[in-house]
Amino acid sequence: MITYIALLRGINVGGHKKVVMAELRELLLKSGLKNVTTYIQSGNVIFQSSNNNAKALEESIQKSILNHFGFVVPVTVKSRVELSVIFDNNPFETINKAESYFIVLNKIPENHLVKEASQKIYPDDEYIIFNDCIYLFCPKGYGRAKFNVNYFEKKLKVNATSRNYKTMVKLLALSEE
């Protein structure tokens, strides 16, 4: 069995796309996933599966959510190992790591798109696009950052979702158990 983390985008935000975590866990268990747990209400699901195709798991979870809840939710699935590598590759200095954000991408974007997206800079925000993650440090806070997930999705032609440092630490710890 492989341990995975599914990152759902845009649920339970501002009363939109309401998903009760207990209901989601039950739905995913019925769909064949094992040892399903969730962390906070923003769409973090840890599970196990013998399926080694993360893209197929993404599609299956999306379809289950659409059929049950009636709306589309972008889902990015990473193995525990993949998420650990993303976490460990955080390029920021130790002092800034705990305040950084991880914009996890559903695939590695094409090089020419990365180059184009990287042209945009804002003086208060620092970001680095590396493989399937954008590492973002915004000293004034994520809510005040000029960059957002929508910008990167559009420019890189990927699905993306962001998690803060603390959430990543917790997801990796929960997925060890």
Side-chain angles (χ1 to χ4, degrees):
M1 291 289 223
I2 303 168
T3 300
Y4 290 100
I5 295 94
L7 305 171
L8 285 60
R9 176 159 182 237
I11 64 165
N12 299 333
V13 178
H16 302 286
K17 294 187 178 179
K18 188 90 168 116
V19 176
V20 177
M21 292 298 107
E23 203 173 331
L24 178 63
R25 284 191 301 273
E26 187 64 28
L27 174 68
L28 296 179
L29 284 167
K30 286 180 182 174
S31 76
L33 303 181
K34 306 291 183 208
N35 303 315
V36 177
T37 59
T38 56
Y39 173 64
I40 60 179
Q41 300 298 311
S42 60
N44 303 292
V45 182
I46 300 149
F47 65 93
Q48 293 182 319
S49 175
S50 57
N51 187 339
N52 65 356
N53 185 336
K55 294 299 171 207
L57 290 167
E58 285 175 1
E59 290 171 13
S60 174
I61 293 169
Q62 280 181 317
K63 186 176 179 181
S64 293
I65 292 170
L66 175 61
N67 291 339
H68 184 80
F69 293 102
F71 46 79
V72 175
V73 173
V75 177
T76 299
V77 172
K78 299 290 182 188
S79 71
R80 186 200 186 286
V81 171
E82 290 172 317
L83 202 66
S84 182
V85 167
I86 285 171
F87 183 80
D88 291 342
N89 283 336
N90 186 328
F92 296 119
E93 295 178 27
T94 304
I95 194 165
N96 296 339
K97 278 187 183 186
E99 301 299 321
S100 64
Y101 291 82
F102 300 79
I103 301 175
V104 181
L105 312 176
N106 70 328
K107 64 182 180 180
I108 297 174
E110 296 177 24
N111 283 335
H112 74 280
L113 297 174
V114 171
K115 286 180 184 175
E116 185 181 316
S118 297
Q119 298 302 310
K120 187 82 165 174
I121 57 170
Y122 290 104
D124 293 330
D125 299 335
E126 182 181 351
Y127 71 95
I128 296 167
I129 304 170
F130 183 69
N131 291 333
D132 55 352
C133 186
I134 301 165
Y135 301 90
L136 176 64
F137 175 68
C138 31
K140 292 185 178 180
Y142 190 74
R144 291 195 170 120
K146 297 289 185 184
F147 289 108
N148 61 38
V149 171
N150 293 334
Y151 169 79
F152 289 114
E153 281 184 322
K154 184 177 174 185
K155 288 294 186 183
L156 299 174
K157 298 183 177 155
V158 297
N159 285 334
T161 187
S162 64
R163 298 296 184 272
N164 65 29
Y165 184 89
K166 221 190 248 189
T167 298
M168 291 287 280
V169 168
K170 188 67 173 178
L171 289 173
L172 290 170
L174 289 170
S175 63
E176 276 184 349
E177 299 171 355

